[in-house]
Amino acid sequence: MAVQRRPRTGAVRLALATRIVAYIQAGATLWDHGLLPLGVFGSYHDGDAPDRAKSGHLPFGEVTYFGAGASFDPGRLLSSGADLVVAVSYKNGQVYGIDPDAAKRLEEQVPVVVLDVGQDRSLDAIRGRFAALAASLGGAEPPVSLDAARERLRTAATDDAPRVLALSAAGGDQVHLARPHSWPDLRALAELGVRLVEPPTGAGANWSTVTWTEARSLAPEVVLADTRANAAPLEAARLGSARVIPWNPELPASSAAHARFFTRTAQALKPH
């Protein structure tokens, strides 16, 4: 399920952890399972304030923000009395979003659970791992009609349904187009029949960086636009008549969040 690293002082059972600090996506996921973390931290892409696009329904008035990237101070986290850190990884179990030395310092002092959310994992597998972790901590997600949301999307994703392009706006005249096979949530859409636009081949494992002119030439009818704080504001006029709906590439890994994502996409595919 996860990689758990123990502190030098001995093992701590997950079931005993009550003061949890998590990467912001993981914290939002735990909250969807009824577990309120003590605090959260961001990544190099985040700033002095938590990225609301990643935070789901976390009540920030009750959660400490421990910073992001270079501003993240492992000493401040450790002094909070945290007894568990929940992190994510995109490759080889490496903690995402903080300096390796900072991650090492945490692992020497407090149990760290690292959940893989990279492109080799399916959306179902990622959600299942988070659910198992939450269960081990005493959490449980309220019943959600995820199957119904899937079926609504499958019904809307007909052979003549609008073509969908996922992107992240950049500065100037550039835009990053998502490669569908590199994102578990986009692969899940494709598996349900959504016609995803494949960007040009070339450099970039996750993104293809092109001009807006090149993006428009792909003629998408629906655009999933990155709403994270590090993405530039999207000017809908750049995409002609395409419908634009929000897309969070770091969606909370819960049934509730995934059901909302499938439902929103299904609605965008229906004739307007």
Side-chain angles (χ1 to χ4, degrees):
M1 175 194 75
V3 177
Q4 183 175 351
R5 297 174 174 87
R6 303 293 187 178
R8 292 177 177 174
T9 53
V12 176
R13 292 181 58 196
L14 292 187
L16 300 180
T18 58
R19 297 177 63 81
I20 303 166
V21 175
Y23 177 61
I24 187 166
Q25 176 192 22
T29 304
L30 292 176
W31 180 236
D32 281 353
H33 289 80
L35 300 168
L36 182 65
L38 162 71
V40 295
F41 59 92
S43 75
Y44 293 109
H45 297 299
D46 300 329
D48 296 334
D51 187 343
R52 293 300 317 195
K54 299 181 183 180
S55 64
H57 296 292
L58 270 174
F60 271 116
E62 304 174 45
V63 177
T64 300
Y65 185 56
F66 288 98
S71 70
F72 172 75
D73 180 1
R76 180 169 170 247
L77 187 157
L78 292 169
S79 68
S80 72
D83 54 17
L84 179 68
V85 174
V86 179
V88 302
S89 172
Y90 284 89
K91 190 175 182 180
N92 299 329
Q94 181 177 343
V95 174
Y96 173 69
I98 61 176
D99 185 83
D101 289 340
K104 181 179 179 182
R105 182 177 175 187
L106 292 179
E107 292 165 356
E108 291 172 344
Q109 301 295 323
V110 64
V112 177
V113 169
V114 185
L115 294 176
D116 188 349
V117 296
Q119 62 180 346
D120 293 336
R121 301 289 185 180
S122 70
L123 198 65
D124 287 348
I126 294 169
R127 187 177 60 254
R129 285 178 169 82
F130 270 100
L133 172 63
S136 75
L137 295 167
E141 189 174 13
V144 174
S145 298
L146 181 58
D147 288 340
R150 280 199 193 99
E151 192 55 38
R152 280 194 294 271
L153 179 54
R154 196 190 310 274
T155 300
T158 59
D159 291 342
D160 59 352
R163 297 167 69 249
V164 178
L165 175 66
L167 57 77
S168 182
D173 192 42
Q174 289 190 321
V175 56
H176 307 301
L177 308 183
R179 300 192 185 282
H181 65 272
S182 297
W183 300 91
D185 55 346
L186 299 182
R187 289 204 310 273
L189 295 186
E191 290 164 2
L192 292 168
V194 176
R195 302 166 63 211
L196 292 168
V197 176
E198 186 71 43
T201 58
N206 300 326
W207 304 99
S208 174
T209 302
V210 302
T211 66
W212 283 104
T213 299
E214 291 173 292
R216 282 193 297 272
S217 72
L218 298 172
E221 297 158 280
V222 172
V223 167
L224 298 177
D226 188 350
T227 58
R228 294 175 299 175
N230 58 294
L234 177 61
E235 299 175 24
R238 288 181 177 271
L239 294 158
S241 61
R243 301 171 202 155
V244 178
I245 61 173
W247 173 49
N248 176 13
E250 298 184 58
L251 198 65
S254 65
S255 294
H258 293 171
R260 288 192 295 270
F261 175 58
F262 291 151
T263 298
R264 185 184 299 121
T265 305
Q267 291 170 344
L269 296 181
K270 294 178 179 178
H272 281 57

